[in-house]
């Protein structure tokens, strides 16, 4: 019997998996430099956290959650996103009593039972950052700049930023009502009609051409913002422009999660086909209260690691075959094997990346393994070398070979590699 990864999931395998590490590192580095601390939360939570936090009427909650009853009879859900968990942890640890905002970043696996296609998986990875407990347009702008800088550090040039404001508890109800009035007059199927009553903003995000065609005259949220939301949004835009960030105002941008208020944004890449969002986020001033906490105005984002790798591949930003180690050692004979093992351990402890031929292959097989490893240098050790206290250092790019005393090999290699 053989198994395959479940539908909608896949394995990141070397050498391509190195790209995942590089992307995670680069996307989180700007946040780390800006004082965001690392948070790790469980991969599963009480189901209620997501149904209340993400929103009962969202696709995520109604269709996409991996929910099960555990052996203790609790309803548990594999996290479909990170923000609700982070806010839950901040409340649970009493952090709102301390200095605000609480700035946190995270990285991990998320689970959504989505229709699988390129760029849309049932298990995927995000890097996220959240600034919790402060209402200040500078925090919104800070987070957007951090994401922009993360993509730029990876060399990506094709990421576009869409920006919108969804208003607040003051002005959203009037907009919602105006939108519902408009939508009720359209020719829509029964399911969409139900959506108008529950979550009308999501109808704007309907991708079907026959729906989009009817939405041309829909009221725009930006025309319904209250004075405070307008001023707040204007300040975010001013700060972004001052920081050299290019963005497109998109009054139709709605997000797939219900907790958003005011600033919302999405990063798109055109090299990915239909799943073009490489990241997204926004302000969620009401989320804490939705899950039983005090008012805690907050903002954050999550960037898709898998899709960012795809975007980089679309831009041709990776080397074809990244080297895995600098040095690959080949023993010729049993006694040499023991010496090579010790030498490789010593080289690693000296800070070099080194591997060796395992499994008692012949010289030919071992040299092939050295070539395949992508290493710059091969170390070849036979009985005669061993008697002379030396090892052959072969430059695998030039095929040049020299004997180096074993005691000096770490320093010699470090010199050659620097
Ligand atoms: P989201 O827009 O649902 O937001 O996800 C953020 C990013 O995760 C997306 O832009 C995409 O790159 C990636 N992503 C989402 N679903 C999938 C999937 N099925 N397969 C591959 N990649 C995917 C959130 O999750 C919010 N928690 C963001 C946030 C943080 N808002 C405020 N703070």
């Amino acid at each position: 019997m053989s198994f395959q990864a479940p539908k909608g999931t896949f394995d990141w395998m070397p050498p391509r998996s190195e790209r995942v590490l590089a992307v995670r590192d680069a996307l989180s580095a700007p946040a780390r430099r800006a004082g965001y601390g690392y948070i790790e939360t469980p991969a599963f939570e009480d189901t209620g956290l997501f149904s209340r936090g993400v929103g009962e009427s969202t696709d995520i909650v109604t269709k996409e959650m991996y929910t099960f009853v555990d052996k203790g009879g609790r309803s548990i859900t594999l996290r479909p996103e990170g923000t609700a968990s982070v806010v839950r942890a901040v409340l649970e640890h009493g952090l709102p009593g301390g200095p605000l905002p609480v700035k946190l970043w995270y990285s991990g696996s998320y689970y959504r039972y989505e229709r699988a296609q390129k760029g849309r998986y049932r298990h995927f990875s995000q890097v996220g950052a959240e600034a919790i407990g402060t209402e200040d347009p500078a925090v919104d702008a800070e987070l957007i700049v951090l994401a922009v800088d993360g993509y730029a550090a990876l060399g990506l040039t094709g990421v576009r930023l869409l920006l919108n404001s969804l208003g607040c508890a003051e002005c959203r109800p009037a907009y919602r009502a105006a939108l519902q009035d408009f939508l009720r007059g359209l020719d829509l199927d029964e399911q969409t009609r139900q959506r108008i009553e529950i979550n009308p903003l999501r109808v704007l995000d309907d991708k079907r051409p026959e729906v989009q065609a009817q939405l041309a005259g829909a009221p725009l949220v930006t025309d319904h913002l209250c004075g405070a939301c307008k001023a707040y949004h204007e300040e975010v835009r001013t700060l972004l422009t001052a920081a050299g960030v290019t963005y497109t105002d998109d009054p139709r941008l709605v997000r797939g999660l219900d907790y958003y208020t005011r600033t919302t944004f999405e990063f798109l890449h055109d090299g990915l086909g239909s799943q073009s969002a490489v990241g997204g986020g926004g302000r969620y001033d009401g989320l804490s209260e939705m899950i039983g906490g005090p008012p805690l105005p907050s903002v954050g984002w999550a960037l898709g690691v898998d899709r960012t790798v795809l975007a980089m591949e679309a831009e041709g930003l990776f080397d074809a075959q990244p080297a895995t180690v600098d040095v690959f050692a080949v023993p010729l004979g049993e006694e040499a094997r023991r010496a090579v093992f010790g030498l490789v351990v010593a080289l690693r402890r000296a800070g070099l990346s080194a591997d060796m031929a395992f499994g008692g292959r012949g010289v030919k097989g071992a040299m092939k393994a050295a070539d395949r490893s992508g290493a710059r240098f091969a170390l070849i050790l036979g009985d005669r070398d061993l008697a002379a206290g030396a090892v052959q250092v072969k430059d695998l790019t030039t095929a040049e070979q020299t004997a180096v005393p074993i005691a000096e090999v770490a320093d010699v290699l470090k010199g050659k590699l620097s």
Side-chain angles (χ1 to χ4, degrees):
M1 181 171 179
S2 71
F3 293 102
Q4 291 182 329
K7 188 174 161 67
T9 73
F10 64 96
D11 307 302
W12 282 107
M13 303 294 288
R16 200 169 165 238
S17 51
E18 287 293 321
R19 300 174 179 183
V20 175
L21 297 179
V23 163
R24 247 182 227 146
D25 210 41
L27 292 181
S28 57
R32 283 180 275 149
R33 280 198 300 272
Y36 287 70
Y38 179 64
I39 180 170
E40 215 171 285
T41 62
F44 56 84
E45 299 268 2
D46 273 338
T47 300
L49 175 69
F50 300 118
S51 48
R52 283 163 62 185
V54 173
E56 298 278 9
S57 67
T58 58
D59 282 352
I60 292 180
V61 171
T62 55
K63 300 183 202 158
E64 296 171 2
M65 296 210 300
Y66 281 91
T67 298
F68 58 95
V69 177
D70 76 4
K71 293 189 201 310
R74 304 168 193 89
S75 180
I76 294 290
T77 293
L78 299 185
R79 58 184 179 191
E81 62 102 46
T83 311
S85 303
V86 170
V87 175
R88 193 264 311 138
V90 164
L91 295 174
E92 185 171 334
H93 294 271
L95 303 189
L100 298 174
V102 180
K103 302 210 292 187
L104 299 165
W105 77 274
Y106 52 92
S107 165
S109 291
Y110 298 86
Y111 310 86
R112 295 183 193 175
Y113 192 83
E114 296 213 61
R115 211 156 37 76
Q117 65 178 94
K118 186 186 170 206
R120 186 164 67 194
Y121 311 112
R122 292 180 177 173
H123 166 259
F124 58 96
S125 167
Q126 291 181 340
V127 166
E130 316 284 352
I132 291 169
T134 302
E135 184 185 290
D136 182 341
V139 187
D140 305 40
E142 165 175 289
L143 275 156
I144 293 173
V145 172
L146 294 175
V148 166
D149 288 354
Y151 291 128
L154 288 167
L156 281 165
T157 53
V159 177
R160 296 187 284 126
L161 167 60
L162 302 182
L163 185 67
N164 194 17
S165 171
L166 290 180
C168 64
E170 291 294 309
C171 52
R172 179 96 64 88
Y175 170 65
R176 194 184 135 101
L179 183 62
Q180 281 176 322
D181 275 351
F182 172 86
L183 294 173
R184 286 185 194 121
L186 304 183
D187 176 22
L188 299 166
D189 59 275
E190 191 44 42
Q191 205 184 356
T192 313
R193 294 202 152 276
Q194 281 170 16
R195 183 168 265 188
I196 296 173
E197 305 313 317
I198 305 163
N199 197 346
L201 268 72
R202 295 292 306 151
V203 180
L204 294 179
D205 207 26
D206 197 312
K207 300 283 185 288
R208 291 172 296 176
E210 65 274 21
V211 178
Q212 276 302 320
Q214 298 185 67
L215 293 175
L220 298 176
V221 64
T222 34
D223 293 333
H224 289 75
L225 295 180
C226 62
C229 283
K230 237 184 231 162
Y232 193 96
H233 195 52
E234 222 19 74
E235 184 61 14
V236 173
R237 295 172 78 249
T238 303
L239 290 169
L240 288 178
T241 305
V245 172
T246 313
Y247 57 86
T248 305
D249 290 308
D250 182 359
R252 298 256 181 131
L253 176 71
V254 283
R255 306 254 311 125
L257 305 95
D258 273 356
Y259 49 60
Y260 290 110
T261 51
R262 291 196 165 169
T263 313
T264 43
F265 51 89
E266 215 151 69
F267 295 97
L268 304 183
H269 193 280
D270 294 325
L272 298 184
S274 66
Q275 299 309 308
S276 58
V278 288
R283 183 156 274 286
Y284 47 94
D285 292 341
L287 175 55
S288 167
E289 288 152 289
M290 277 145 80
I291 62 170
L296 214 49
S298 307
V299 57
W301 47 241
L303 314 180
V305 173
D306 314 82
R307 287 188 197 169
T308 303
V309 172
L310 295 179
M312 291 183 70
E313 289 175 347
E315 289 195 26
L317 286 170
F318 291 109
D319 294 340
Q321 170 85 24
T324 49
V325 287
D326 294 327
V327 184
F328 193 93
V330 175
L332 309 178
E334 253 334 286
E335 210 178 320
R337 170 171 305 282
R338 248 171 249 133
V340 157
F341 181 82
L343 183 56
V344 165
V345 168
L347 291 178
R348 291 175 187 155
R349 286 180 177 159
L352 290 155
S353 63
D355 196 1
M356 65 178 279
F358 290 107
R361 273 175 287 199
V363 186
K364 235 170 141 187
M367 284 311 292
K368 218 184 211 170
D371 278 334
R372 282 209 191 118
S373 72
R376 250 301 289 293
F377 295 99
L379 297 184
I380 304 153
L381 190 71
D383 290 345
R384 218 178 308 151
D385 298 310
L386 201 54
V391 60
Q392 302 293 323
V393 175
K394 183 174 178 183
D395 185 325
L396 290 170
T397 44
T398 62
E400 190 188 326
Q401 189 168 318
T402 45
V404 175
I406 287 179
E408 289 167 28
V409 72
D411 287 339
V412 168
L413 285 168
K414 273 188 179 171
K416 284 179 187 282
L417 285 162
S418 66

